[in-house]
Amino acid sequence: MPVKVSVIVPVYNPGPYIEDCVESLQRQSLKPDEYEVIFVDDGSTDDTPARLDKLAAEDARVSVIHQENSGWSGKPRNVGIAAARGEYVMFVDNDDYLGDEALERMYDYGVANGADVVVGKMAGKGRGVPVELFRTNRPRATVDDAPLIDSLTPHKMVRREFLERTGLRFPEGRRRLEDHVFVTEAYLRADNVSVLSDYVCYYHVRRDDDANAGFQRFDPAGYFKNLREALDVVERFTEPGPLRDKLYRRWLRVEMVERLRGRRFLTLPEDYRKQLFGEIHGVVTERFGPGVAARLAPTQRVVAALVAADRFGDVVAFAEWEAGLGLKAVPETVEWRDGTLRIGFTAEFVQGGRPLEFPADRVSPGGPPLDVAEAQAWVCADAVNRFATATADLQLRERSTAAPYFQPVEVTREAVPAGDGSRVRLVLRATATVDPGTAASDAPLGDGLWDAFARVRLGGWTKECRLGPAPRAGLTAGVVAGRVVLPYRTERHGSLALDVGLADKRLGLGRLAPGDATVEGGRLRARLPLYVPGSTDVLFRLTGACVDLPATLSPAPAGTRALLDAPIDRLPSGTWRAALCLTPDAERRRFRILGFAVRVGGGGTRVVSPPRPPVVRRLVRRARRALGRTAHRLGIRKG
């Protein structure tokens, strides 16, 4: 059978960090004969070569190529391309890993859309990844109509025939940004690029030892020499005008301006900051016309203008001002309604922990001033001018993978007077709607813990923060779309999170008392601290009696509790602890113990306290005997 995908992994001294990569490649849902894995060992000096040779001997999908160290990842990837047999090649780094269905989904999506390049959704574990690019699937995308240029890492699937036809390869040797050169040319020459956003395909991992190649401090002169090569690709394949300026803007924004902002810049050694600034100043003045910086966000325009004017001290001063800025987002309401979880929250920018105040009157800022104090006022005035377009989003991120998913949000904006009325606070009030059945890009939320993050764009800033502090009480679990979803307050951050399918004791079912349930006419009825949108089938179990009874949950009038209705006639005599399976259609049924038992016999059926476990009964008897002996010594009599 023809090979569909060849996975190319350049390898250099990954140590144990390669194991997640290997395991994810072996778990792929593609049939074993439909893909191959080519590890190109770039002269590793640790135990990795032997580890890979052993793997290749055991797994027919795996092959290993050993070569002398080339200094960077470009040559190993090119060697892998030359050895590949697949219709597509997929580039993976040795300390990252794939989602289990990544190859199958990306290949099918690429074939369905005739794509030369397929970009799969990424999740960052300790490192940043593009966000806006993966808001939605994009069957046909270009650098002009989608933010493709935000994703320049090599972790893409590329049609091999496209590589052979164009002769496209990675720059080789000890250098930086070889992926920028390769990916930019691929975007500009591809007949079609497809972006798959409804499944996390690639996990971009920051190693615990911070030894990822991308986290090593670089030599500014060499780095920006290599960056100019990426700009040369844009110049070669585009005409002067808005598109070229737009593409150039990506490097100005990400590789230059953002490196000179806030804490990221201030934590660098003084001499390194000056060297970095000097190299960036050289690129800006040599390569970028006025149209490149003109469409940056206001804060970025300020930094770009200061760089062009060669004002290093003012860049430092502006970074010190921005370093104190942050975002605060507080959940105001968390409630179930119409089968969805509605999360109402407010968000605003803060400085030094206090709400950031803006000028109350709108002004026409014009261009960015070069005086730092005036630049700060200019940025704030622009935020007021554009407050009507400010946005607030809510993201759910699965904790173990950091995979982010945007939720639908309705936003209102309020300028709240501050002080003597000449200043205002710009407050966003938002309501997010979380549908457990579609919250993960039209797919159900998977079992796990999901943290809630607010993401706000206002003026020249885009910032994220956890949603908190969350309420300490009043959060109710819901049984919706075959999921048990519990909003809760995290212990570490006090922020809002969702527990999907894992909660047991926190649901509160074990705290129910016999008085919460009644028996009448052969049926047991109880009020449970759960939300259900309508009649919901569950299983009621009497543990020890080996009896599972079909039951239903229905909404209580108040909406915050569900009514359990279960048949309990013709039961064997005894006292049986009650349990409930809230998702009987799930692949694996999970029963949660209730806080009461059912006693059958002695003329009827009634709800009682659950019997103590044998160990507890023994401990109670021992305690009573010890108390009796103590009372006897002290001469204390009963009564």
Side-chain angles (χ1 to χ4, degrees), residues 376-578:
Q376 294 169 5
W378 181 82
V379 168
C380 290
D382 182 84
V384 175
N385 289 349
R386 297 199 287 170
F387 186 43
T389 62
T391 63
D393 284 300
L394 184 134
Q395 280 186 343
L396 293 180
R397 298 183 188 174
E398 206 282 318
R399 190 172 299 170
S400 66
T401 64
Y405 294 95
F406 285 97
Q407 306 303 306
V409 174
E410 296 179 356
V411 181
T412 59
R413 303 162 186 85
E414 181 180 358
V416 180
D420 61 1
S422 64
R423 313 284 291 174
V424 293
R425 294 163 46 202
L426 302 182
V427 179
L428 297 170
R429 304 188 188 279
T431 301
T433 301
V434 180
D435 183 342
T438 61
S441 291
D442 294 327
L445 288 175
D447 286 354
L449 303 178
W450 296 78
D451 292 301
F453 282 79
R455 176 182 173 88
V456 170
R457 300 179 68 177
L458 169 63
W461 297 292
T462 299
K463 292 188 178 293
E464 297 177 347
C465 71
R466 293 177 182 271
L467 207 58
R472 294 183 178 275
L475 299 177
T476 302
V479 184
V480 179
R483 298 286 188 275
V484 181
V485 181
L486 173 67
Y488 73 100
R489 177 188 172 103
T490 64
E491 293 183 5
R492 181 177 180 183
H493 300 285
S495 56
L496 183 67
L498 303 184
D499 180 319
V500 180
L502 303 181
D504 196 340
K505 292 182 179 180
R506 284 191 299 196
L507 294 180
L509 300 181
R511 294 193 294 271
L512 295 170
D516 294 317
T518 60
V519 175
E520 184 178 354
R523 306 194 74 82
L524 179 142
R525 295 180 174 86
R527 287 179 176 268
L528 307 184
L530 300 171
Y531 166 85
V532 291
S535 181
T536 302
D537 294 332
V538 296
L539 280 180
F540 181 71
R541 170 176 288 183
L542 296 178
T543 59
C546 299
V547 175
D548 287 347
L549 304 168
T552 59
L553 292 177
S554 57
T560 57
R561 284 185 171 259
L563 300 176
L564 171 66
D565 186 350
I568 57 169
D569 52 347
R570 296 191 295 275
L571 296 177
S573 297
T575 301
W576 315 111
R577 187 71 183 261

Side-chain angles (χ1 to χ4, degrees), residues 262-449:
R263 294 187 182 90
R264 181 179 182 181
F265 185 50
L266 298 176
T267 55
L268 298 174
E270 175 75 10
D271 58 343
Y272 187 80
R273 281 190 289 184
K274 290 182 177 179
Q275 188 180 4
L276 184 66
F277 177 87
E279 294 295 335
I280 291 174
H281 170 74
V283 177
V284 168
T285 54
E286 291 170 18
R287 301 297 294 262
F288 299 150
V292 179
R295 298 294 298 274
L296 288 173
T299 49
Q300 296 165 345
R301 288 181 64 191
V302 168
V303 177
L306 294 174
V307 170
D310 201 17
R311 299 179 65 153
F312 172 78
D314 290 325
V315 169
V316 173
F318 194 76
E320 290 171 344
W321 177 69
E322 280 203 293
L325 295 177
L327 176 67
K328 183 176 182 180
V330 180
E332 304 286 345
T333 58
V334 183
E335 59 184 9
W336 291 97
R337 191 188 311 162
D338 299 329
T340 61
L341 185 65
R342 307 292 179 92
I343 302 174
F345 64 96
T346 59
E348 65 178 315
F349 283 104
V350 295
Q351 188 170 44
R354 299 174 61 85
L356 181 61
E357 297 181 357
F358 298 81
D361 298 327
R362 294 190 178 194
V363 296
S364 298
L370 296 180
D371 177 81
V372 172
E374 292 179 5
Q376 294 169 5
W378 181 82
V379 168
C380 290
D382 182 84
V384 175
N385 289 349
R386 297 199 287 170
F387 186 43
T389 62
T391 63
D393 284 300
L394 184 134
Q395 280 186 343
L396 293 180
R397 298 183 188 174
E398 206 282 318
R399 190 172 299 170
S400 66
T401 64
Y405 294 95
F406 285 97
Q407 306 303 306
V409 174
E410 296 179 356
V411 181
T412 59
R413 303 162 186 85
E414 181 180 358
V416 180
D420 61 1
S422 64
R423 313 284 291 174
V424 293
R425 294 163 46 202
L426 302 182
V427 179
L428 297 170
R429 304 188 188 279
T431 301
T433 301
V434 180
D435 183 342
T438 61
S441 291
D442 294 327
L445 288 175
D447 286 354
L449 303 178

